[in-house]
Amino acid sequence: MSRRLRYIGSNSDDNNCPTLYEDTETGEMVVQGDLVTDPDEIAQFRSVKPGEGFVTVPRTLLADFAPRDVNREPKLIDLDEFENLFETFQYTTYRLETRRRYRSDEVSETYRQFTAGLVPDWDLESPWCRSRREQSALGKRFERVRIMDNPPTVGQRYLLNNSERNGMVGEDIRYLWRADADRLGLPAEDAWLFDSRFIALLHFDADDNLTHVELITDPVRVARACQERDAAWHFAIPHHEFRAQVPSDV
């Protein structure tokens, strides 16, 4: 079925191209402009699909007539697809960990050992550890900033101990006290930022179980997350140094 197009505007002479239209059914934008036909130019485009074409328009057309807001439906992915992101990202992935407990930690054998006063028996050959080492060997960076309360919760102490294991397989983990995170205006959200391109926002239920993951590609939110990451990373302390600041639970 043919699109029903609504004329948005044009800043060209004599009402010729370039022009911007909106699909009245989907809200998608259609751009009219001079075709790009030079093979050397077309070779520079990425992931070109059959049937795609390219047009040239002045920057002022988009500045004057492109929509400034958009209603975005949440895009949810299952946990298997979420785990796959840690092998398909290209350069960096960064997490801000803000919660006081994670139910998934509490059902693990290492958590039981830790709360019993034993040294956790971390399995450095688990699939998770092997994957982190393999991806790190490709030059990819895994970074986290963990927020800790004062005094820390049991779950936060467990994760501080866990940081040593994560560091051995390629992660760089740093810490901030919650009071410092609040002064920096860091969000309360628990999320991963992949390649500074999209956010994987983690959603939890009332018992701190991870329930689903929401992918966010809104460039405004992604840009803000990059700024928050830079602030957190600047002030955060490497986990082995931060450990000396944590009061004993004895």
Side-chain angles (χ1 to χ4, degrees):
M1 186 175 66
S2 300
R3 295 175 183 263
R4 295 180 58 85
L5 300 180
R6 180 171 69 90
Y7 172 82
I8 299 297
S10 174
N11 50 20
S12 57
D13 296 332
D14 300 323
N15 213 29
N16 294 320
C17 67
T19 307
L20 202 63
Y21 304 87
E22 179 185 19
D23 185 324
T24 60
E25 295 292 327
T26 67
E28 294 177 331
M29 308 305 296
V30 177
V31 181
Q32 174 186 348
D34 292 326
L35 285 173
V36 177
T37 58
D38 187 313
D40 291 335
E41 294 180 5
I42 293 175
Q44 299 176 57
F45 295 115
R46 301 181 181 183
S47 304
V48 179
K49 296 183 295 186
E52 286 186 330
F54 312 95
V55 298
T56 301
V57 298
R59 184 182 294 268
T60 52
L61 175 71
L62 303 181
D64 290 345
F65 298 108
R68 301 299 190 272
D69 56 4
V70 62
N71 293 323
R72 299 178 186 270
E73 291 293 328
K75 180 179 180 181
L76 305 182
I77 60 174
D78 61 35
L79 298 185
D80 287 339
E81 187 175 354
F82 171 59
E83 289 299 328
N84 191 48
L85 295 177
F86 294 95
E87 297 191 356
T88 58
F89 80 99
Q90 292 183 289
Y91 310 112
T92 62
T93 183
Y94 159 84
R95 182 178 181 180
L96 180 65
E97 291 188 30
T98 62
R99 301 181 67 82
R100 293 172 171 85
R101 68 187 286 254
Y102 297 89
R103 179 61 180 158
S104 59
D105 290 337
E106 297 177 355
V107 298
S108 68
E109 176 62 17
T110 50
Y111 188 91
R112 185 199 66 77
Q113 294 168 347
F114 177 79
T115 55
L118 304 173
V119 177
D121 182 20
W122 303 111
D123 179 8
L124 297 179
E125 295 304 320
S126 69
W128 186 93
C129 287
R130 289 200 303 270
S131 176
R132 284 295 194 269
R133 284 199 301 270
E134 291 167 359
Q135 297 302 311
S136 296
L138 296 174
K140 300 180 183 181
R141 299 205 314 270
F142 295 86
E143 301 170 342
R144 301 181 196 238
V145 170
R146 286 174 169 164
I147 307 303
M148 181 172 281
D149 290 283
N150 192 5
T153 66
V154 175
Q156 290 169 344
R157 289 184 181 277
Y158 168 78
L159 286 176
L160 182 58
N161 187 292
N162 156 275
S163 296
E164 196 68 31
R165 185 278 306 259
N166 285 27
M168 287 190 286
V169 297
E171 291 199 348
D172 188 347
I173 300 182
R174 305 187 181 188
Y175 272 84
L176 277 174
W177 292 111
R178 191 172 299 277
D180 294 326
D182 290 343
R183 278 193 290 271
L184 290 172
L186 298 183
E189 296 175 341
D190 201 299
W192 286 91
L193 175 65
F194 288 90
D195 290 330
S196 299
R197 291 179 50 244
F198 63 91
I199 301 164
L201 179 62
L202 309 185
H203 291 266
F204 297 83
D205 63 19
D207 198 31
D208 298 289
N209 292 294
L210 177 62
T211 56
H212 59 279
V213 178
E214 177 184 354
L215 286 189
I216 298 172
T217 58
D218 177 358
V220 174
R221 292 191 63 179
V222 171
R224 185 169 65 242
C226 291
Q227 294 166 354
E228 293 163 346
R229 173 200 57 197
D230 290 349
W233 200 251
H234 179 79
F235 289 101
I237 300 172
H239 67 88
H240 56 276
E241 297 178 19
F242 185 84
R243 187 186 300 270
Q245 300 183 17
V246 179
S248 172
D249 59 349
V250 178

